[in-house]
Amino acid sequence: MQFLLIIALSIASAVIYGILHDQITARVCVEYFTIGHPPVFNTEDPTLLGLGWGIIATWWVGVILGVGLAMVARIGRRPKRSPKSLIRPIGILMAIMAVFAITAGIAGYTAGSLGWVFLVGHIAETVPPEKHVPFLADMWAHSASYLVGFVGGIVVMVRVWMSRGTMARLKDEG
């Protein structure tokens, strides 16, 4: 049961992060969702797009993180980590992801404004010219969230596994 609760916690955390992230980025550039993504939702409402894509684009990340985290937290003879004990590390990861997303969004906006990066091909032709720079900001913010989430998820898993070794040593010494 604890194994499944860790997976559920990870999915819920990823989805909440995705919805909040997409509520912001949908307001920066709605075209990132209406043109840059497959037409899943027949709306241009940023709230609905942020909600829908926040779920679709993140639940599977939560599953991957959750299964890995549940394994390193629960499998084996070492002392087990509870779902509650993982709230803080997951929360810290989400906060770090948000900082990197904001930073990358600003960097993408700046680089686009200076002409250092630009849209090409079908996207460049389809997105209105005045939305190219905001589109780049969204793209960079989303890419940063995925990259930092992936790398950070591995770091969290390693730290959780190592903490179980520390817990075992403390138990043996006490």
Side-chain angles (χ1 to χ4, degrees):
M1 187 63 156
Q2 298 289 303
F3 194 94
L4 294 176
L5 285 174
I6 292 170
I7 295 171
L9 170 65
S10 297
I11 293 169
S13 298
V15 167
I16 290 167
Y17 177 86
I19 289 170
L20 293 173
H21 185 277
D22 289 358
Q23 289 302 315
I24 295 166
T25 56
R27 282 159 178 77
V28 170
C29 184
V30 74
E31 292 81 3
Y32 181 78
F33 296 91
T34 59
I35 297 172
H37 287 65
V40 175
F41 306 104
N42 188 21
T43 184
E44 291 192 14
D45 180 270
T47 301
L48 295 176
L49 288 167
L51 180 63
W53 280 108
I55 295 167
I56 289 174
T58 58
W59 70 268
W60 60 273
V61 177
V63 170
I64 293 168
L65 174 64
V67 169
L69 196 52
M71 288 172 46
V72 301
R74 303 295 302 173
I75 292 177
R77 296 176 193 241
R78 291 176 166 192
K80 313 290 187 228
R81 293 282 301 263
S82 70
K84 184 177 179 182
S85 76
L86 300 174
I87 293 172
R88 181 175 162 87
I90 291 171
I92 291 169
L93 173 58
M94 301 293 160
I96 291 169
M97 289 168 57
V99 168
F100 273 86
I102 291 165
T103 304
I106 292 168
Y109 188 90
T110 302
S113 295
L114 295 172
W116 296 347
V117 296
F118 43 87
L119 299 178
V120 296
H122 174 71
I123 292 291
E125 295 167 4
T126 312
V127 173
E130 68 276 8
K131 292 296 191 166
H132 283 208
V133 172
F135 191 101
L136 287 164
D138 275 7
M139 187 171 65
W140 283 41
H142 282 263
S143 297
S145 282
Y146 281 111
L147 177 63
V148 174
F150 176 75
V151 173
I154 292 170
V155 169
V156 169
M157 287 181 223
V158 168
R159 289 180 58 95
V160 166
W161 177 254
M162 290 173 51
S163 74
R164 291 180 64 200
T166 301
M167 291 166 58
R169 280 191 300 282
L170 291 174
K171 183 180 174 186
D172 290 343
E173 291 173 6

